[in-house]
Amino acid sequence: MYLADDNRYDSMKYIRSGKSGLMLPAFSLGLWHNFGDNSNPENMAELCKTAFDNGITHFDLANNYGPPYGAAEKNFGKIFEENFRSYRDELIISTKAGYDMWPGPYGNWGSRKYLLASLDQSLKRMGLEYVDIFYHHRMDPETPLEETMGALATAVNSGKAIYAGLSNYDGEHLQKATEILNELKVPFVINQNRYSIFDRTIENNGLLKMTEGLEKGLICFSPLAQGMLTDKYLHGIPSDSRAKKDGRYLKESALTDERIGQIKELNEMASVRGQSLAQMSLAWVLSHKAVTSVLIGASAPGQILENIKAMENMEFSTEELKKIDDIASRVEYRTR
Ligand SMILES: NC(=O)c1ccc[n+]([C@@H]2O[C@H](COP(=O)([O-])OP(=O)(O)OC[C@H]3O[C@@H](n4cnc5c(N)ncnc54)[C@H](OP(=O)(O)O)[C@@H]3O)[C@@H](O)[C@H]2O)c1
Protein backbone atom coordinates (compact mmCIF):
# COMPACT_ATOMS: atom_id res chain seq x y z
CA MET A 1 0.00 0.00 0.00
CA TYR A 2 1.28 3.47 -0.92
CA LEU A 3 1.96 5.85 1.93
CA ALA A 4 2.82 9.37 0.81
CA ASP A 5 6.07 10.92 2.04
CA ASP A 6 5.54 12.68 5.37
CA ASN A 7 7.73 15.57 4.18
CA ARG A 8 5.79 16.18 0.97
CA TYR A 9 4.86 19.75 1.85
CA ASP A 10 8.31 20.84 3.03
CA SER A 11 9.80 22.36 -0.10
CA MET A 12 7.06 22.93 -2.69
CA LYS A 13 5.77 26.50 -3.11
CA TYR A 14 2.00 27.03 -3.29
CA ILE A 15 0.78 30.00 -5.27
CA ARG A 16 -2.65 31.58 -5.12
CA SER A 17 -4.66 31.34 -8.31
CA GLY A 18 -5.39 35.00 -8.97
CA LYS A 19 -7.59 36.44 -6.22
CA SER A 20 -9.31 33.12 -5.48
CA GLY A 21 -9.06 30.83 -2.48
CA LEU A 22 -7.38 28.12 -4.54
CA MET A 23 -3.64 27.59 -4.19
CA LEU A 24 -1.74 25.45 -6.66
CA PRO A 25 1.72 23.95 -6.42
CA ALA A 26 4.29 25.85 -8.47
CA PHE A 27 4.66 22.60 -10.45
CA SER A 28 1.67 20.57 -11.61
CA LEU A 29 1.75 17.23 -13.44
CA GLY A 30 -0.05 16.79 -16.76
CA LEU A 31 -1.17 13.41 -18.06
CA TRP A 32 -1.43 14.23 -21.76
CA HIS A 33 1.43 11.90 -22.68
CA ASN A 34 2.73 8.71 -21.03
CA PHE A 35 -0.65 7.71 -19.55
CA GLY A 36 -2.24 6.05 -22.57
CA ASP A 37 -2.80 2.34 -23.03
CA ASN A 38 0.55 2.17 -24.84
CA SER A 39 2.42 3.29 -21.70
CA ASN A 40 3.79 1.27 -18.81
CA PRO A 41 1.29 1.13 -15.89
CA GLU A 42 4.03 0.88 -13.25
CA ASN A 43 5.76 3.97 -14.63
CA MET A 44 2.45 5.86 -14.64
CA ALA A 45 1.91 5.08 -10.96
CA GLU A 46 5.52 6.00 -10.13
CA LEU A 47 5.12 9.36 -11.89
CA CYS A 48 2.05 10.18 -9.79
CA LYS A 49 3.62 9.02 -6.54
CA THR A 50 6.89 10.89 -7.20
CA ALA A 51 4.90 14.02 -7.92
CA PHE A 52 2.74 13.80 -4.80
CA ASP A 53 5.67 12.80 -2.56
CA ASN A 54 7.28 16.08 -3.61
CA GLY A 55 4.29 18.32 -2.99
CA ILE A 56 2.75 18.27 -6.48
CA THR A 57 -0.89 18.18 -5.47
CA HIS A 58 -2.33 18.93 -8.89
CA PHE A 59 -2.92 16.38 -11.68
CA ASP A 60 -4.25 17.68 -14.97
CA LEU A 61 -6.24 15.57 -17.43
CA ALA A 62 -8.64 15.95 -20.35
CA ASN A 63 -11.34 13.73 -21.79
CA ASN A 64 -9.29 12.85 -24.86
CA TYR A 65 -5.83 12.23 -23.37
CA GLY A 66 -4.68 8.77 -24.39
CA PRO A 67 -4.28 6.99 -26.71
CA PRO A 68 -6.99 5.99 -27.17
CA TYR A 69 -9.16 8.93 -26.10
CA GLY A 70 -10.26 8.49 -22.48
CA ALA A 71 -7.38 6.14 -21.61
CA ALA A 72 -5.44 8.62 -19.45
CA GLU A 73 -8.53 9.23 -17.30
CA LYS A 74 -9.19 5.50 -17.03
CA ASN A 75 -5.56 4.74 -16.14
CA PHE A 76 -5.41 7.62 -13.69
CA GLY A 77 -8.65 6.36 -12.13
CA LYS A 78 -6.99 3.00 -11.45
CA ILE A 79 -3.90 4.65 -9.93
CA PHE A 80 -6.15 6.90 -7.86
CA GLU A 81 -8.20 3.98 -6.53
CA GLU A 82 -5.12 1.94 -5.65
CA ASN A 83 -3.05 4.72 -4.12
CA PHE A 84 -4.68 8.09 -3.68
CA ARG A 85 -8.29 7.70 -2.57
CA SER A 86 -7.42 8.43 1.05
CA TYR A 87 -5.63 11.61 -0.11
CA ARG A 88 -8.56 12.94 -2.18
CA ASP A 89 -8.91 16.15 -0.18
CA GLU A 90 -5.21 16.90 -0.67
CA LEU A 91 -5.51 16.75 -4.45
CA ILE A 92 -6.62 19.09 -7.22
CA ILE A 93 -7.72 16.98 -10.18
CA SER A 94 -8.78 18.72 -13.36
CA THR A 95 -10.27 17.65 -16.63
CA LYS A 96 -11.48 19.36 -19.81
CA ALA A 97 -13.77 19.09 -22.80
CA GLY A 98 -13.57 21.07 -26.01
CA TYR A 99 -11.61 19.02 -28.56
CA ASP A 100 -12.82 16.01 -30.52
CA MET A 101 -13.87 13.17 -28.26
CA TRP A 102 -16.60 11.05 -29.82
CA PRO A 103 -18.11 10.89 -33.32
CA GLY A 104 -21.05 12.96 -34.46
CA PRO A 105 -22.09 16.55 -33.77
CA TYR A 106 -22.18 16.28 -29.94
CA GLY A 107 -18.61 15.19 -29.17
CA ASN A 108 -16.57 18.32 -29.90
CA TRP A 109 -16.31 22.10 -29.33
CA GLY A 110 -18.46 23.97 -26.78
CA SER A 111 -22.12 23.01 -26.70
CA ARG A 112 -23.90 22.45 -23.42
CA LYS A 113 -24.81 18.98 -24.66
CA TYR A 114 -21.13 18.06 -25.22
CA LEU A 115 -19.63 19.60 -22.07
CA LEU A 116 -22.07 18.11 -19.59
CA ALA A 117 -22.10 14.63 -21.17
CA SER A 118 -18.31 14.68 -21.33
CA LEU A 119 -17.94 15.65 -17.68
CA ASP A 120 -20.16 12.72 -16.68
CA GLN A 121 -18.03 10.38 -18.78
CA SER A 122 -14.79 11.75 -17.29
CA LEU A 123 -16.02 11.27 -13.73
CA LYS A 124 -17.01 7.71 -14.52
CA ARG A 125 -13.65 6.88 -16.13
CA MET A 126 -11.73 8.32 -13.17
CA GLY A 127 -14.06 6.91 -10.52
CA LEU A 128 -14.51 10.37 -9.00
CA GLU A 129 -17.58 12.12 -7.62
CA TYR A 130 -16.28 15.52 -8.68
CA VAL A 131 -13.30 17.18 -10.31
CA ASP A 132 -11.68 20.21 -8.76
CA ILE A 133 -11.41 22.17 -12.00
CA PHE A 134 -13.49 21.64 -15.13
CA TYR A 135 -12.17 23.49 -18.18
CA HIS A 136 -13.61 24.45 -21.49
CA HIS A 137 -10.62 23.25 -23.53
CA ARG A 138 -10.67 25.75 -26.42
CA MET A 139 -12.66 28.67 -27.80
CA ASP A 140 -15.59 27.70 -30.01
CA PRO A 141 -16.30 30.24 -32.75
CA GLU A 142 -19.82 28.87 -33.41
CA THR A 143 -21.44 28.21 -30.03
CA PRO A 144 -22.63 31.31 -28.13
CA LEU A 145 -20.29 32.01 -25.24
CA GLU A 146 -23.36 32.27 -22.97
CA GLU A 147 -24.19 28.63 -23.69
CA THR A 148 -20.68 27.33 -23.00
CA MET A 149 -20.32 29.38 -19.83
CA GLY A 150 -23.79 28.25 -18.76
CA ALA A 151 -22.61 24.65 -19.06
CA LEU A 152 -19.63 25.44 -16.78
CA ALA A 153 -22.09 27.01 -14.32
CA THR A 154 -24.22 23.85 -14.35
CA ALA A 155 -21.12 21.70 -13.84
CA VAL A 156 -20.26 23.68 -10.72
CA ASN A 157 -23.82 24.03 -9.42
CA SER A 158 -24.42 20.29 -9.75
CA GLY A 159 -21.40 19.63 -7.51
CA LYS A 160 -19.53 17.80 -10.27
CA ALA A 161 -16.84 20.50 -10.41
CA ILE A 162 -15.54 22.77 -7.67
CA TYR A 163 -14.06 25.47 -9.92
CA ALA A 164 -14.35 26.39 -13.59
CA GLY A 165 -11.44 27.09 -15.93
CA LEU A 166 -10.82 28.24 -19.49
CA SER A 167 -8.12 26.89 -21.74
CA ASN A 168 -6.63 28.33 -24.92
CA TYR A 169 -8.74 31.52 -24.76
CA ASP A 170 -7.34 34.85 -25.90
CA GLY A 171 -7.59 38.16 -24.02
CA GLU A 172 -10.75 39.37 -25.75
CA HIS A 173 -12.72 36.16 -25.22
CA LEU A 174 -11.42 35.79 -21.68
CA GLN A 175 -12.86 39.20 -20.87
CA LYS A 176 -16.27 38.40 -22.39
CA ALA A 177 -16.38 34.97 -20.74
CA THR A 178 -15.48 36.49 -17.37
CA GLU A 179 -18.38 38.94 -17.57
CA ILE A 180 -20.81 36.09 -18.19
CA LEU A 181 -19.30 33.87 -15.50
CA ASN A 182 -19.44 36.75 -13.01
CA GLU A 183 -23.13 37.25 -13.75
CA LEU A 184 -23.71 33.54 -13.24
CA LYS A 185 -21.64 33.68 -10.02
CA VAL A 186 -19.39 30.86 -11.23
CA PRO A 187 -16.08 30.42 -9.37
CA PHE A 188 -13.95 30.82 -12.48
CA VAL A 189 -10.41 30.91 -11.14
CA ILE A 190 -7.88 29.87 -13.77
CA ASN A 191 -6.73 29.98 -17.36
CA GLN A 192 -4.67 27.23 -18.91
CA ASN A 193 -2.50 28.34 -21.82
CA ARG A 194 0.69 27.36 -23.60
CA TYR A 195 3.68 29.46 -22.53
CA SER A 196 7.40 28.92 -22.82
CA ILE A 197 10.60 30.68 -23.81
CA PHE A 198 9.75 29.62 -27.37
CA ASP A 199 5.95 30.13 -27.45
CA ARG A 200 4.95 33.74 -26.76
CA THR A 201 1.37 33.56 -28.06
CA ILE A 202 -0.18 34.79 -24.80
CA GLU A 203 2.10 37.83 -24.77
CA ASN A 204 0.65 38.79 -28.16
CA ASN A 205 -3.03 37.77 -27.98
CA GLY A 206 -3.87 39.76 -24.86
CA LEU A 207 -4.30 36.74 -22.59
CA LEU A 208 -1.36 37.42 -20.29
CA LYS A 209 -2.32 41.07 -19.68
CA MET A 210 -6.03 40.32 -19.32
CA THR A 211 -5.39 37.47 -16.85
CA GLU A 212 -3.39 39.83 -14.66
CA GLY A 213 -5.95 42.62 -15.01
CA LEU A 214 -8.83 40.34 -14.05
CA GLU A 215 -6.78 38.81 -11.22
CA LYS A 216 -7.29 35.27 -12.48
CA GLY A 217 -4.81 32.42 -12.18
CA LEU A 218 -2.70 31.14 -15.06
CA ILE A 219 -1.32 27.63 -15.37
CA CYS A 220 1.11 27.27 -18.27
CA PHE A 221 1.31 24.10 -20.33
CA SER A 222 4.18 22.79 -22.43
CA PRO A 223 6.65 25.03 -20.55
CA LEU A 224 9.48 22.92 -21.97
CA ALA A 225 8.07 23.10 -25.51
CA GLN A 226 7.39 19.37 -25.17
CA GLY A 227 11.01 18.61 -24.27
CA MET A 228 12.81 20.91 -26.73
CA LEU A 229 13.79 23.25 -23.89
CA THR A 230 15.92 20.56 -22.24
CA ASP A 231 19.31 19.07 -23.08
CA LYS A 232 17.56 16.02 -24.60
CA TYR A 233 17.95 16.92 -28.28
CA LEU A 234 21.42 18.49 -28.18
CA HIS A 235 23.12 15.44 -29.67
CA GLY A 236 20.49 13.89 -31.91
CA ILE A 237 17.00 12.51 -31.33
CA PRO A 238 16.99 9.77 -28.67
CA SER A 239 14.84 6.70 -29.35
CA ASP A 240 12.90 7.17 -26.10
CA SER A 241 12.03 10.84 -26.76
CA ARG A 242 8.62 12.31 -27.56
CA ALA A 243 9.86 13.46 -30.98
CA LYS A 244 10.78 9.86 -31.86
CA LYS A 245 7.94 8.02 -30.09
CA ASP A 246 5.01 10.31 -30.82
CA GLY A 247 5.65 12.42 -33.87
CA ARG A 248 2.09 13.76 -33.92
CA TYR A 249 2.52 16.76 -31.64
CA LEU A 250 6.31 17.11 -31.63
CA LYS A 251 7.74 16.31 -35.02
CA GLU A 252 11.38 15.43 -35.65
CA SER A 253 11.25 18.02 -38.43
CA ALA A 254 10.78 20.75 -35.77
CA LEU A 255 14.33 20.12 -34.62
CA THR A 256 16.04 22.07 -37.38
CA ASP A 257 19.70 23.13 -37.22
CA GLU A 258 18.54 26.67 -36.36
CA ARG A 259 16.40 25.35 -33.51
CA ILE A 260 19.23 23.20 -32.14
CA GLY A 261 21.51 26.24 -32.35
CA GLN A 262 19.07 28.21 -30.18
CA ILE A 263 18.75 25.36 -27.71
CA LYS A 264 22.56 25.15 -27.42
CA GLU A 265 22.84 28.85 -26.61
CA LEU A 266 20.08 28.62 -24.01
CA ASN A 267 21.74 25.53 -22.57
CA GLU A 268 24.99 27.48 -22.13
CA MET A 269 23.11 30.29 -20.38
CA ALA A 270 21.50 27.77 -18.05
CA SER A 271 24.82 26.22 -17.16
CA VAL A 272 26.27 29.65 -16.27
CA ARG A 273 23.27 30.03 -13.91
CA GLY A 274 24.07 26.61 -12.40
CA GLN A 275 20.87 25.11 -13.79
CA SER A 276 19.89 22.56 -16.40
CA LEU A 277 18.11 24.02 -19.43
CA ALA A 278 14.86 22.41 -18.22
CA GLN A 279 15.24 24.15 -14.85
CA MET A 280 16.03 27.54 -16.37
CA SER A 281 13.08 27.26 -18.78
CA LEU A 282 10.64 26.41 -15.98
CA ALA A 283 12.05 29.16 -13.74
CA TRP A 284 11.58 31.63 -16.62
CA VAL A 285 7.86 30.80 -16.91
CA LEU A 286 7.32 30.81 -13.15
CA SER A 287 9.07 34.13 -12.71
CA HIS A 288 6.15 35.92 -14.43
CA LYS A 289 3.91 37.45 -11.82
CA ALA A 290 0.67 36.27 -13.48
CA VAL A 291 1.76 32.63 -13.44
CA THR A 292 0.30 30.33 -10.80
CA SER A 293 1.83 27.01 -11.84
CA VAL A 294 3.89 25.38 -14.59
CA LEU A 295 2.18 22.31 -15.96
CA ILE A 296 4.89 19.82 -16.79
CA GLY A 297 4.80 16.44 -18.45
CA ALA A 298 7.25 13.66 -17.65
CA SER A 299 8.17 10.30 -19.11
CA ALA A 300 10.29 9.30 -16.09
CA PRO A 301 10.12 10.13 -12.36
CA GLY A 302 13.69 11.53 -12.50
CA GLN A 303 12.51 14.30 -14.82
CA ILE A 304 10.04 15.49 -12.16
CA LEU A 305 12.79 15.50 -9.54
CA GLU A 306 15.13 17.46 -11.81
CA ASN A 307 12.45 19.91 -12.87
CA ILE A 308 11.18 20.93 -9.44
CA LYS A 309 14.70 22.04 -8.52
CA ALA A 310 14.03 25.00 -10.83
CA MET A 311 12.61 26.63 -7.68
CA GLU A 312 16.15 27.00 -6.33
CA ASN A 313 16.94 29.87 -8.74
CA MET A 314 14.03 31.87 -10.13
CA GLU A 315 15.76 35.26 -10.37
CA PHE A 316 16.74 36.63 -13.78
CA SER A 317 18.80 39.75 -14.43
CA THR A 318 17.58 42.26 -17.02
CA GLU A 319 20.50 41.22 -19.24
CA GLU A 320 19.56 37.54 -18.98
CA LEU A 321 15.91 38.26 -19.84
CA LYS A 322 16.96 40.31 -22.86
CA LYS A 323 19.33 37.60 -24.04
CA ILE A 324 16.59 34.95 -23.73
CA ASP A 325 14.20 37.15 -25.73
CA ASP A 326 16.83 37.75 -28.39
CA ILE A 327 17.60 34.05 -28.77
CA ALA A 328 13.92 33.06 -28.74
CA SER A 329 12.86 35.63 -31.33
CA ARG A 330 15.32 34.33 -33.92
CA VAL A 331 13.21 31.32 -34.97
CA GLU A 332 9.44 31.36 -35.40
CA TYR A 333 7.73 28.80 -33.19
CA ARG A 334 5.00 26.61 -34.62
CA THR A 335 3.15 24.09 -32.49
CA ARG A 336 2.31 21.63 -35.27
N1 LIG B 1 -4.93 22.82 -22.39
C1 LIG B 1 -4.33 22.35 -23.45
O1 LIG B 1 -4.77 22.56 -24.60
C2 LIG B 1 -3.09 21.55 -23.27
C3 LIG B 1 -2.29 21.20 -24.39
C4 LIG B 1 -1.12 20.49 -24.17
C5 LIG B 1 -0.75 20.13 -22.88
N2 LIG B 1 -1.56 20.44 -21.82
C6 LIG B 1 -1.25 20.02 -20.44
O2 LIG B 1 0.10 20.35 -20.14
C7 LIG B 1 0.80 19.18 -19.70
C8 LIG B 1 2.24 19.32 -20.03
O3 LIG B 1 2.45 19.44 -21.43
P1 LIG B 1 3.76 18.89 -22.08
O4 LIG B 1 3.90 17.43 -21.74
O5 LIG B 1 3.81 19.31 -23.48
O6 LIG B 1 4.87 19.70 -21.20
P2 LIG B 1 6.42 19.90 -21.28
O7 LIG B 1 6.84 19.97 -19.85
O8 LIG B 1 6.74 21.04 -22.17
O9 LIG B 1 7.02 18.59 -21.96
C9 LIG B 1 7.11 17.39 -21.24
C10 LIG B 1 8.07 16.43 -21.91
O10 LIG B 1 9.39 16.95 -21.94
C11 LIG B 1 10.34 15.92 -21.65
N3 LIG B 1 11.03 16.28 -20.40
C12 LIG B 1 10.46 16.74 -19.25
N4 LIG B 1 11.40 17.00 -18.33
C13 LIG B 1 12.59 16.72 -18.89
C14 LIG B 1 13.93 16.78 -18.45
N5 LIG B 1 14.23 17.22 -17.23
N6 LIG B 1 14.92 16.40 -19.31
C15 LIG B 1 14.62 15.97 -20.56
N7 LIG B 1 13.38 15.85 -21.04
C16 LIG B 1 12.35 16.24 -20.22
C17 LIG B 1 9.54 14.64 -21.54
O11 LIG B 1 9.41 14.06 -22.84
P3 LIG B 1 10.17 12.73 -23.34
O12 LIG B 1 9.09 11.76 -23.64
O13 LIG B 1 10.87 13.18 -24.58
O14 LIG B 1 11.08 12.29 -22.22
C18 LIG B 1 8.20 15.15 -21.10
O15 LIG B 1 7.15 14.25 -21.35
C19 LIG B 1 0.05 18.05 -20.41
O16 LIG B 1 0.27 16.80 -19.81
C20 LIG B 1 -1.37 18.52 -20.26
O17 LIG B 1 -1.84 18.24 -18.95
C21 LIG B 1 -2.70 21.15 -22.00
Side-chain angles (χ1 to χ4, degrees), residues 30 32 60 167-168 192 222 224 226 232 242 299 303 307:
W32 178 33
D60 179 72
S167 184
N168 298 306
Q192 186 175 127
S222 300
L224 298 176
Q226 300 198 56
K232 165 159 260 162
R242 186 179 296 186
S299 61
Q303 292 177 342
N307 294 350

Side-chain angles (χ1 to χ4, degrees), residues 42-209:
E42 278 165 30
N43 190 52
M44 293 180 211
E46 279 313 307
L47 289 169
C48 294
K49 290 179 196 174
T50 302
F52 190 54
D53 281 341
N54 287 279
I56 295 181
T57 49
H58 179 25
F59 297 120
D60 179 72
L61 295 105
N63 56 358
N64 63 356
Y65 290 174
Y69 290 175
E73 288 183 331
K74 181 198 68 182
N75 292 327
F76 175 75
K78 194 159 182 285
I79 294 165
F80 174 81
E81 190 54 44
E82 286 169 5
N83 304 282
F84 289 101
R85 190 165 281 288
S86 62
Y87 299 105
R88 178 66 185 99
D89 293 339
E90 293 184 50
L91 293 174
I92 297 295
I93 301 168
S94 58
T95 194
K96 324 181 187 80
Y99 282 96
D100 53 309
M101 181 60 196
W102 63 83
Y106 316 117
N108 203 344
W109 295 103
S111 71
R112 184 174 175 81
K113 166 82 175 164
Y114 170 42
L115 261 60
L116 294 176
S118 181
L119 177 56
D120 281 342
Q121 291 183 16
S122 291
L123 292 174
K124 202 163 169 197
R125 277 191 291 270
M126 290 191 280
L128 298 177
E129 287 170 9
Y130 66 93
V131 287
D132 298 276
I133 307 171
F134 183 51
Y135 287 96
H136 185 221
H137 208 158
R138 62 164 160 177
M139 299 187 286
D140 176 352
E142 304 290 339
T143 302
L145 207 48
E146 286 77 7
E147 175 172 337
T148 309
M149 297 308 112
L152 293 180
T154 301
V156 171
N157 292 336
S158 64
K160 292 176 185 172
I162 307 264
Y163 297 103
L166 300 177
S167 184
N168 298 306
Y169 275 54
D170 60 22
E172 181 194 340
H173 290 86
L174 165 62
Q175 184 174 29
K176 288 185 185 149
T178 304
E179 283 166 16
I180 301 167
L181 291 167
N182 282 346
E183 264 178 45
L184 295 170
K185 300 204 178 345
V186 177
F188 157 53
V189 296
I190 194 148
N191 292 285
Q192 186 175 127
N193 291 73
R194 185 185 295 112
Y195 195 35
S196 71
I197 287 176
F198 284 159
D199 191 320
R200 306 301 185 89
T201 307
I202 64 170
E203 293 176 2
N204 301 319
N205 71 5
L207 188 283
L208 189 58
K209 255 209 173 104

